[in-house]
Amino acid sequence: MAMLGKRRPRRERSGVSGLQRRQAAPTGGAPVPPADDDRVTIERLAHDGRGLAHGADGKALFVEGGLPGERLEVAIHRHRKRFDEGHVRAIVEASPERVAPPCNHFGRCGGCDLQHLSMAAQRRHKAEVLVDLLARQGVEAPGEPQRLAGAGEGYRRRARLGVKVDAEGRVHLGFRARHTHRLVDITDCTILVPELDALLAPLHQQLAALEAPRRVGHLELLASDQGRVLVVRQLKEHEADRRRWQAFAARHDLHLARWLGRESPSLTWLTPAPSLTCRVPGAAGELTLGFAPGDFLQANAEVNRMMIATALSWLDGLAGSPLLDLFAGVGNFSLPLASVGAAVTAVEGSPAMVERLAANARANSPAHALQVDARQADLGQPRAVASLLAETSPATVVLDPPREGAEAACRALVASPVSRVLYVSCDPATLARDAAHLVHGGYRLARIAVADMFVHTSHLESMLLFVHPRTGQPPQGASPDG
């Protein structure tokens, strides 16, 4: 993949002065200026990355941009019954872990909310959040979480950008401000892979040159093995603008597709249709995953590879063992696990995704001898999961659900225990809920890892391994803890 970079403008060396100048309330309501002596000390970070303090009356105050140990003047922009919400008006005493945010748009764009905190402290915070949420559900972590972390910038290989035309006819392209629908113009993005970041300025110019920019809903950017992909969400056909997009794709060497329509948009390619792929590690070399726009694809390729390697390490002794992979997607975990000899039944809710998963298994099988049976099922129904468990009799189950979690699957796994459950989560709250089902149902939490999939944000990805002592020993070659 070609790495296209560009020189970035110089930024302030001090993270304090930039923050002091941003005094407008980030969310609804006018700021309420504090009295001269109305200062607070941030006690810790809340789970969502905001600083937590208490006012003179003991009421909790969540402060956007506040860091532990800091003495701040705070403007309150929202009063609630049990707590208030505010933002930094002035920094009296800064934390030694405060750093200069690397992005020009920090404080306005809602994407990266932790860029003012050092990388080490960000990762420490995420581990503490996971352990705390588990403890609140009565689940004790088996020691310090393993940390899976990669680059701090230039890591995101997919993004969706909003498009809006204001009352004056100006076209805006960017991400939403935090907690609002307001669009913040983005001219460069430090977390996008460089080849996608390089498209932002040309895309601003392209949108301004369209005859009907109001018909564009959003843009999607993807980086693949075959190069850069631009997907235009077009609400209604406009022939002249379609030709303009095709000319833009030719100038910038892009694969171009379009979602057309409002209710049930259909995807069509406006350049020759590519067979998009990305690569993941397997037991004996690289595996190739085919995907299409709209398919789920982990945003951080480097950290995704670390997660797969961790799964292969934790789940040793799989050769010849039946494994059930639920919420399998296009095969991100299914294929690597099959490459070490597991007999994988991979289940996904979307029929189109099941077809893609099966095609990926076939495409990789000649070189890697994969055993993958791709199936479709409604994994939100306990009966569907129970039926799969009864039919396949797996020794190991892998769960990689969306943010809603896998409560139905966990209830079924309590009723029909298996030796090991690997749970990969993108939401620590639903993970903690589901972990409680498993642990209170007889499983033991054996291993835990935090994956920093979205650096500079409070978003938390994690991996937990559960073992069930009453199902007998783990597969041959595996340790009792996985």
Side-chain angles (χ1 to χ4, degrees):
M1 182 183 301
M3 302 298 284
L4 306 178
K6 63 181 180 181
R7 186 182 301 275
R8 301 188 185 278
R10 293 186 63 186
R11 297 175 172 83
E12 297 172 313
R13 294 184 182 275
S14 169
V16 176
S17 59
L19 224 165
Q20 286 173 324
R21 286 198 298 270
R22 289 188 283 271
Q23 297 180 8
T27 54
V32 181
D36 290 341
D37 60 348
D38 189 7
R39 296 175 177 178
V40 299
T41 299
I42 302 299
E43 301 157 18
R44 61 180 178 84
L45 287 184
H47 293 161
D48 64 0
R50 292 183 295 176
L52 174 63
H54 287 84
D57 58 356
K59 190 177 183 181
L61 172 62
F62 292 96
V63 182
E64 293 189 16
L67 298 179
E70 290 189 327
R71 187 74 173 158
L72 305 172
E73 287 184 5
V74 174
I76 297 174
H77 56 256
R78 183 170 294 164
H79 291 279
R80 298 184 184 273
K81 184 176 181 180
R82 298 178 59 189
F83 59 89
D84 293 331
E85 296 176 295
H87 58 282
V88 178
R89 186 167 179 261
I91 298 175
V92 181
E93 296 178 16
S95 165
E97 291 180 323
R98 179 177 288 278
V99 297
C103 179
N104 284 328
H105 308 292
F106 178 77
R108 295 182 294 114
C109 173
C112 297
D113 52 351
L114 291 180
Q115 282 194 350
H116 59 306
L117 182 62
S118 72
M119 197 79 68
Q122 287 184 36
R123 290 165 176 167
R124 215 166 44 240
H125 165 67
K126 293 179 182 183
E128 291 168 355
V129 167
L130 179 57
V131 171
D132 181 62
L133 286 172
L134 289 171
R136 292 185 183 202
Q137 295 288 342
V139 178
E140 183 179 355
E144 183 75 13
Q146 181 179 339
R147 295 181 189 177
L148 311 178
E153 295 185 20
Y155 64 82
R156 185 162 187 147
R157 61 178 169 178
R158 62 178 175 86
R160 175 181 291 188
L161 298 105
V163 177
K164 183 179 180 180
V165 182
D166 64 23
E168 288 74 33
R170 294 188 297 265
V171 184
H172 302 278
L173 171 69
F175 301 117
R176 307 291 175 185
R178 194 175 187 192
H179 306 313
T180 76
H181 295 293
R182 180 171 56 85
L183 203 64
V184 177
D185 272 309
I186 299 297
T187 55
D188 62 290
C189 180
T190 59
I191 66 170
L192 282 181
V193 294
E195 59 265 39
L196 297 184
D197 179 39
L199 283 175
L200 294 182
L203 283 170
H204 275 272
Q205 298 169 4
Q206 171 71 4
L207 288 165
L210 297 179
E211 289 184 14
R214 295 181 190 276
R215 296 187 183 183
V216 179
H218 63 255
L219 304 179
E220 296 178 48
L221 302 177
L222 293 167
S224 73
D225 292 340
Q226 289 68 39
R228 299 177 294 180
V229 181
L230 170 64
V231 184
V232 180
R233 173 73 162 88
Q234 192 82 28
L235 304 177
K236 189 177 179 181
E237 178 66 274
H238 191 284
E239 181 65 24
D241 281 351
R242 180 181 63 79
R243 292 195 298 270
R244 286 185 175 91
W245 281 118
Q246 289 172 316
F248 179 85
R251 288 196 305 273
H252 294 278
D253 192 22
L254 305 176
H255 301 289
L256 175 65
R258 180 179 64 175
W259 291 104
L260 181 62
R262 290 184 179 273
E263 299 302 324
S264 301
S266 58
L267 180 74
T268 55
W269 287 96
L270 302 184
T271 56
S275 297
L276 300 177
T277 63
C278 62
R279 284 162 290 172
V280 295
E286 297 281 284
L287 298 163
T288 300
L289 298 184
F291 68 94
D295 290 350
F296 176 75
L297 183 69
Q298 290 285 15
N300 190 322
E302 182 182 13
V303 172
N304 183 55
R305 294 176 70 89
M306 293 179 183
M307 293 172 68
I308 292 170
T310 300
L312 295 177
S313 172
W314 286 3
L315 299 176
D316 55 354
L318 286 175
S321 177
L323 182 147
L324 182 61
D325 183 9
L326 304 182
F327 310 95
V330 297
N332 188 60
F333 286 101
S334 300
L335 271 61
L337 291 167
S339 76
V340 298
V344 177
T345 301
V347 187
E348 178 54 54
S350 163
M353 203 80 79
V354 173
E355 291 181 13
R356 201 109 58 225
L357 197 163
N360 285 337
R362 289 193 299 270
N364 286 274
S365 286
H368 297 273
L370 306 183
Q371 298 182 66
V372 179
D373 178 13
R375 302 189 188 185
Q376 190 273 333
D378 182 357
L379 298 176
Q381 299 297 323
R383 287 185 180 179
V385 180
S387 176
L388 287 165
L389 289 170
E391 180 183 352
T392 61
S393 300
T396 303
V397 171
V398 175
L399 304 172
D400 186 9
R403 297 185 67 86
E404 293 78 13
E407 188 170 21
C410 289
R411 290 185 182 276
L413 285 164
V414 169
S416 302
V418 300
S419 294
R420 299 183 294 186
V421 176
L422 175 64
Y423 195 133
V424 181
S425 168
C426 60
D427 186 286
T430 55
L431 170 65
R433 177 202 66 198
D434 295 346
H437 286 307
L438 293 174
V439 169
H440 301 325
Y443 290 85
R444 176 174 60 86
L445 178 55
R447 295 193 179 185
I448 181 172
V450 172
D452 201 6
M453 181 70 69
F454 295 94
V455 187
H456 297 309
T457 80
S458 54
H459 180 93
L460 173 59
E461 198 99 3
S462 51
M463 300 177 68
L464 272 64
L465 179 65
F466 301 87
V467 298
H468 200 296
R470 293 195 294 274
T471 59
Q473 295 299 315
Q476 185 176 4
S479 69
D481 285 349

